[in-house]
Amino acid sequence: MLDVKFNIRQVARTLSLVENRRPESHAILRAAYKAGRHVPVIGVTGPPGAGKSTLLDRLALHWAEQGEQVAVIAIDPSSPYTGGAVLGDRFRMDRASAHPRVFVRSLSSRGHVGGLSRAVQDVVVVMAAQGFERILVETVGSGQADVEVATLADCVIVVSVPGLGDQIQAGKAGILEIGDVYAVNKSDLPGAGTFAAFLEANLDLIYPGRPGVNQGGQRAGQERAYANAVLHRRHGNAGTDESFWRPPVVSVCALQGDSTEALCRVVEGFLSWQRATGRDGSRRAERFQDHIRRLASGRLLAQPLPAGAGPSLPQLADAVAQGEMTPWEAAEIFLDALSEAWLRREGTVADPVARSAED
Ligand code: GDP
């Protein structure tokens, strides 16, 4: 018998309040953050057409069939150009969304002044507090915003396919540094094997070891190839005696469901290794640091400068345009004026959650 814990209408209503930053959302967010419940968040990213929705459908179903309550957040890539018209076309989640333990929610990338990643972060925390046991986030591989959203996840699956011209671009844009697991989809198409080998070779340039968990204490030469501090933090350092993770490449055919179970096992393997080494906690801490930093800088920059506090932003911009100062010097002056104004400000912040929610 299926065990469905949720009143889906209620969940949907709560999320709408949070997304639309309604006054009621402050209490919901406060309670959700204070609940401090953490569940695995899996980010799926890759270029449009790579088969992310099709793959997500398989992954969500897999975990739902294991008995988990699964939430899927699909980022609607609405842009001023398409007006969101691509959305219907993108969602190929028919099977999973019909499953009583899968809840699919789309989130528009428009209108989030505080940044899309912040909106996703809030929705993730609210979903976790409501009792979902696993959250999948799908994003469209289209630049920095996407990378940001991907890094909100505990495990990032980068989906690519053979024959897309932008694969090399993706490599240049740092895609090879954001994945914990790489899925080569459409393994039924020609060129999939060659492309998977190409990805493996590129990962070999960055990581030593075999795909998956490796024992540390690797040779010095390999250590050098693996000198990226961010990757050390996330995946461990081959130069130490601790274990480290080398992202595996898994070839799948989402359309037929070939090897998608294997992909789920690899993701589980990564999450277990991450938990066992305490890296889940440090990754989360890094995420919240980033979140706090953004909130703090947003609040600081929104601070009105009182008359006489120093040159205004337009004046500073003018000075830079006239060649009177560099942007670094201008930023320094601006910061000095801001901190001066901040120190002199009167009154206290009655409800910081309410204040920041309105930013
Ligand atoms: P997304 O834009 O990345 O979400 O991609 P979709 O999931 O919408 O899939 C784009 C197209 O690729 C659709 O026509 C899918 O049916 C097709 N597709 C997805 N997975 C596979 C696969 O494994 N093999 C083949 N041949 N086509 C696939």
Side-chain angles (χ1 to χ4, degrees), residues 177-189:
E177 301 198 347
I178 68 165
D180 300 301
V181 175
Y182 290 84
V184 175
N185 189 31
K186 309 198 184 182
S187 61
D188 53 313
L189 297 185

Side-chain angles (χ1 to χ4, degrees), residues 47-54 90 92 138 185-186 188-189 253-255:
K52 293 179 300 298
S53 302
T54 317
R90 263 182 76 239
R92 295 175 203 278
E138 182 200 0
N185 189 31
K186 309 198 184 182
D188 53 313
L189 297 185
C253 173
L255 204 56

